[in-house]
Amino acid sequence: MEAASLYQPLDPMSHEIRLLRILPPQNDAKTLDCLLETVSLDTSPKYFGLSYEWGKYAPEQPHPKVLVNSQEIPVKANLALAISRLRELGKDERYWIDALCINQEDDIERAQQVRIMTRIYENSSGVYSWLGLEDGKNDKVADFVQEFHQTFTVRPSRTNTVAREMLNWIRPKLSDPSCQEHWEGLHELCERAYWRRVWVIQEIVVAEKRQGVHLLCNSKEMLLWPFHKLVFLASEVTFSAPYGSHLEPWWAISRQLRSTSMVISAIIRHAEVWGEQQLDEYSLGLLRLLGDHARAQCTDQRDNVYALLGVSLPYEGLWLEINYSIPVSQVFLNAAQYIIRGSKSLQILLHYGEHSSKLSNLPSWVPDWSGTHSDPSMIT
């Protein structure tokens, strides 16, 4: 497939984007027929965003064939399954899906779209997060989360006692053998590689407080906030438990959930601050976020900076160029200079020597944000 035959240039001045419409199944149910159309964000189009893990491209793994404007597109299996799940929702909606709505072969367009990605997700009607296919255990987890959500429809806050009531609901279920499978399923979902993908941070942070994030897993759907709150509070039970509780079976479950939910909790904390518009250096400075999300993974190491830029404190009068044609070391140098000028601080020097860098041409005072946890199979 030639990109030029599918993608016509977008007008950045009109803030144009492409949207994907998933057509109802035709004669061949295994084929996913889709249409791409170009719209301007200035016209307030209606659409949903899709958040997912790109993962490895495995042609041998069975998955539906994707046709876009009658052209077959060699997408990765996980995306094909996500599109198939969106079609099952039966909604006549349009979706913004990065792998298909951006011409990935055009570095200039890619940079332009990344620059407005925060606005793309802000203007969406919501975000669907595809967690992938698994066994039937996760269907039961979704039912468990739904039961929790129906019991507590109001989010906890500083002015209500909902969190305490939630804990009282959770404690007996931690020690209930009939709920053991539910907790194991929650733990497994928290361990998904999806949560460690760097672009997930922006996709969730921007949409969570404004429109909400819907988690899709197998045939079930659940909202992100009750999913996280159930896991988070279950992991906190040990802090208020009486002496000797560490000998109880539920103690191990709680501790296990705490270790696996830390990455999700960091994203949720980011989303809460962003939703309250507490745009200050301490909470949302780019240097702070690069530290908070240091374990996020990507293939293109430039995205370790670019993915967080749109959900960080903007510095008035300063501009950090998004450019996929320059070396990673130059991106990190540009980001370091941007942080120093914007924060009017040399705090970045505290990171001197924190990580040994394998990048060539990286000054010693510039942190190596490529990370030691990047996985080449994780593509942003």
Side-chain angles (χ1 to χ4, degrees), residues 2 9 75 119 212 214-215 225 276 285 301 309 326 343 363 371 375:
E2 292 291 335
V75 304
R119 184 178 173 190
H214 299 254
L215 305 180
W225 85 259
E276 295 170 2
Q301 295 173 342
L309 183 61
I326 60 178
S343 65
D375 179 348

Side-chain angles (χ1 to χ4, degrees), residues 9-18 38-41 113 116:
L10 297 174
D11 181 3
M13 299 301 294
S14 300
H15 306 110
E16 284 187 339
I17 63 172
R18 299 185 189 93
T38 299
V39 300
S40 168
L41 283 174
Q113 292 287 285
I116 63 172

Side-chain angles (χ1 to χ4, degrees), residues 259-316:
S259 65
T260 57
S261 64
M262 290 178 66
V263 171
I264 305 175
S265 293
I267 298 173
I268 295 299
R269 284 195 300 271
H270 190 163
E272 289 173 346
V273 176
W274 180 265
E276 295 170 2
Q277 290 298 295
Q278 297 177 6
L279 305 183
D280 58 76
E281 188 70 37
Y282 175 78
S283 301
L284 291 175
L286 182 57
L287 181 61
R288 165 70 184 267
L289 297 182
L290 286 164
D292 285 352
H293 302 295
R295 292 182 176 271
Q297 297 174 338
C298 60
T299 294
D300 191 328
Q301 295 173 342
R302 288 171 280 238
D303 284 330
N304 282 311
V305 172
Y306 295 159
L308 296 176
L309 183 61
V311 282
S312 66
L313 173 70
Y315 296 126
E316 186 176 356

